[in-house]
Amino acid sequence: MKATAIFTFLLVIASLSTSCKKKTKDPDNDGTSYASMEVYKENAMGVIYNQATNSVAYNKPDVNGIYKIYISNFDGTGEVQLTWSGWAADRQQWAEEWDPTGQFLICYVEKTAYVTESDHTRTPEDAIPGYGAYTDVWIIKRDGSQAWQMTNYANDYDKGVIHGAISADGTMFAWTERIQAPVFADLNLAAGAYVFKVADVSWGSTPVFSNIRTYQPNNEPAGGEVDAVSPDKTNILIYSTFESHNLVATPIYRIDLASGNTTKLTTESFSQAPTYSPNGERIVYMTGAYCDIFPGQLQGADWWVMNADGSNKRRLTYMNMKDHPQSVNSYRLAGTVSFVNDSTFIGGVMTQSLGLVGYSALVKF
């Protein structure tokens, strides 16, 4: 999730979420009306759909746990690995967003050089997508013939990139920049501190990021991610700990790009991965609200939908409701999504509380 996830914060939150107060009944959603859900791709994470080419990009680990980028037709045929000759084969690579034409892919790539640091010894796991240390934003052509490095952060444990989002017309890209490494004893910064970057994008012979803006609610260090750019490009959707200071209580916010003002859209449990439907009328997101916790396991999360103003919240899936037809009575964590149309999306489902282990689901509502 999208890159998700890109699921680093989700995993951290899941590992802590048994401390959340769980309500035993959802008064507005009894599970009798729900979205349809089926497995779309096994062992594929961060699936992103492109309408112009009716194709998808996604990510799978190799035998050494190093993520690589793949593309295929929407029906699963024609799968090929996408990489560039200038990238080291033993470094993490992750598909993040298509440009609207489907001819360019924004991706995240781990830095090649290992450097000595006094306070940290780098491992391949540091740059797992969603953890994002030692990672830069790149753009690669669909045929792998050219690639361009769009950021060049310091090669240290405090720096990196996680989840991002592109505007519908491809002229704006937002991403989450790491500015401080995780502080594991601090629930606010257990996954690190981040700011939100927004750039204008031009797609000439060489792609260019310009007019880069930085958003940091309350100007304080906090965990969070940016997950969507509004269709009209006036705002972005994020989740953040800047008010709660707690990774197990992450509200979703809308940031107005002109003023920087934030509007809180959720209050229940932890909520993340907010994504606008293509028409901009609704937002799909994940939350642990009303999720059953299965014996000996951690709290999971399901997908919900709300109006763009935060009203009319409705649960879509019931993976974490005991004995529900969509449940296997075991931990499931809904993640980031990519819309196919206004009522269909592809989303990641984590089946284990640690590591990017799971599948991608096709959800219709």
Side-chain angles (χ1 to χ4, degrees), residues 215-234:
Y215 297 86
Q216 185 178 24
N218 276 10
N219 292 314
E220 63 178 275
E225 283 183 343
V226 58
D227 289 283
V229 178
S230 64
D232 64 5
K233 299 185 292 187
T234 63

Side-chain angles (χ1 to χ4, degrees), residues 244-318:
S244 69
H245 301 111
N246 189 336
L247 274 173
V248 304
T250 50
I252 289 169
Y253 299 88
R254 180 176 63 241
I255 297 181
D256 180 84
L257 295 181
S259 66
N261 294 335
T262 61
T263 301
K264 185 185 293 186
L265 299 179
T266 66
T267 58
E268 70 279 5
S269 186
F270 66 90
S271 298
Q272 300 181 1
T275 306
Y276 280 109
S277 59
N279 61 15
E281 295 178 359
R282 295 188 288 185
I283 297 168
V284 167
Y285 63 105
M286 60 77 80
T287 178
Y290 307 107
C291 286
D292 288 331
I293 300 176
F294 301 105
Q297 299 185 21
L298 303 174
Q299 181 182 305
D302 273 286
W303 283 298
W304 287 56
V305 65
M306 60 182 167
N307 293 340
D309 63 2
S311 64
N312 193 29
K313 294 178 174 66
R314 178 170 64 90
R315 189 171 183 172
L316 293 178
T317 63
Y318 290 81

Side-chain angles (χ1 to χ4, degrees), residues 41-297:
K41 280 188 181 291
E42 293 280 7
N43 303 316
M45 307 306 296
V47 177
I48 48 175
Y49 175 73
N50 177 254
Q51 185 178 47
T53 59
N54 195 34
S55 64
V56 291
Y58 46 94
N59 312 279
K60 297 190 295 186
D62 64 17
V63 295
N64 297 312
I66 304 299
Y67 276 84
K68 302 297 174 59
I69 300 169
Y70 294 83
I71 59 176
S72 76
N73 299 319
F74 180 67
D75 64 6
T77 61
E79 179 181 88
V80 295
Q81 183 183 341
L82 176 61
T83 191
W84 182 58
S85 59
W87 295 344
D90 58 350
R91 298 293 185 267
Q92 307 285 355
Q93 302 168 20
W94 184 268
E96 187 62 16
E97 288 283 17
W98 288 107
D99 88 299
T101 71
Q103 300 310 306
F104 297 90
L105 188 67
I106 298 175
C107 50
Y108 295 164
V109 181
E110 180 186 359
K111 292 177 180 293
T112 299
Y114 271 56
V115 298
T116 300
E117 298 175 77
S118 61
D119 56 349
H120 182 75
T121 299
R122 178 175 166 183
T123 69
E125 289 73 26
D126 291 331
I128 286 176
Y131 288 33
Y134 309 102
T135 300
D136 280 300
V137 180
W138 286 71
I139 293 176
I140 185 173
K141 291 187 70 172
R142 186 186 185 91
D143 62 5
S145 62
Q146 287 181 280
W148 300 268
Q149 185 173 348
M150 308 306 293
T151 66
N152 188 17
Y153 294 116
N155 194 358
D156 65 57
Y157 191 46
D158 283 322
K159 305 300 183 183
V161 175
I162 56 172
H163 203 267
I166 195 169
S167 63
D169 66 0
T171 64
M172 182 180 289
F173 180 68
W175 69 97
T176 311
E177 178 186 326
R178 177 158 144 175
I179 59 172
Q180 182 179 338
V183 182
F184 295 109
D186 183 345
L187 275 178
N188 180 40
L189 302 178
Y194 298 83
V195 295
F196 309 114
K197 296 284 189 174
V198 179
D200 295 334
V201 187
S202 58
W203 300 93
S205 57
T206 300
V208 175
F209 284 177
S210 62
N211 189 29
I212 299 175
R213 293 88 82 193
T214 302
Y215 297 86
Q216 185 178 24
N218 276 10
N219 292 314
E220 63 178 275
E225 283 183 343
V226 58
D227 289 283
V229 178
S230 64
D232 64 5
K233 299 185 292 187
T234 63
N235 66 79
I236 56 175
L237 297 178
I238 68 164
Y239 72 84
S240 178
T241 65
F242 81 94
E243 288 184 317
S244 69
H245 301 111
N246 189 336
L247 274 173
V248 304
T250 50
I252 289 169
Y253 299 88
R254 180 176 63 241
I255 297 181
D256 180 84
L257 295 181
S259 66
N261 294 335
T262 61
T263 301
K264 185 185 293 186
L265 299 179
T266 66
T267 58
E268 70 279 5
S269 186
F270 66 90
S271 298
Q272 300 181 1
T275 306
Y276 280 109
S277 59
N279 61 15
E281 295 178 359
R282 295 188 288 185
I283 297 168
V284 167
Y285 63 105
M286 60 77 80
T287 178
Y290 307 107
C291 286
D292 288 331
I293 300 176
F294 301 105
Q297 299 185 21

